[in-house]
Amino acid sequence: MRILAIRGRNLTSLDGTFELDLEHGPLGESGLFAIAGPTGAGKSTLLDALCVALYNKTPRLGGQGGVEVGRGEGAMRGVPANDPRNLLRDGAGEGWAEVDFAGREGRRWRSRWTARRARGRADGKLQAVELVLEEIGGARAGGTLTETLAAIERELGLDFDQFRRAVLLAQGDFAAFLRAKAADRASLLEQMTGTTIYGELSKRAWERTALEQKALDELRARLSDAEPADDAARAALEEAARAA
């Protein structure tokens, strides 16, 4: 999995349309770069755009619970604090986030998340989000929001928790990764390094060993049921064999 581009429009600190091309130009040629700037410049908004375009979630809003932030009859009335639609910039009737990425098999995909207010008006009521996944130059994948999220997760090979710990590592999440259970870390690292196949080989080897051990135990049981002949009977059988 590789993120190729991040785009968006009218999201929190970033007014209008923005684009971050991670495949071409200076960023595409750099092995390492920093997102820097003063408070409110939009650093976290870029990461929010990345997350909502892929998972309809963002770590920045994940820990605030479901308390409603809007009161009265305003455009934000009844919207929980952890709702990703809160990323829509004040005064904007529509906003979106878009991510291009290369999936597990190298196929190139574009995922686009859109939030709108009724009639495109800044004072309109927030509408349900739209999430679309399509292969670049190809067909659309998924249908409903749930189906589209499942298709994105399948192509990325990471669920939201794995993505934010392995790719995003937002503030405080590195410590969360270190504190995760050993099995969770092992599963995540297998996904990151592509060594899942070795876990599958180990499982198959253990299953084959169990089958062979069972067959061996059955043979030993059959041998234990066969009592050896006494000396006289053995001598008679050998004599019959020679005569034959």
Side-chain angles (χ1 to χ4, degrees), residues 161 164-166 169-170 172-186 188-189 192:
D161 285 336
R164 69 184 180 87
R165 291 176 181 174
L169 281 179
D173 276 359
F174 183 69
F177 170 76
L178 295 178
R179 290 194 299 267
K181 294 180 180 179
D184 294 339
R185 289 200 306 271
L188 177 56
L189 290 172
M192 292 168 59

Side-chain angles (χ1 to χ4, degrees), residues 7-29:
R7 307 179 189 90
R9 177 176 174 81
N10 294 335
L11 300 180
T12 57
S13 301
L14 299 178
D15 187 16
T17 304
F18 61 87
E19 178 177 9
L20 194 64
D21 188 345
L22 302 175
E23 186 178 18
H24 307 100
L27 294 181
E29 298 169 358

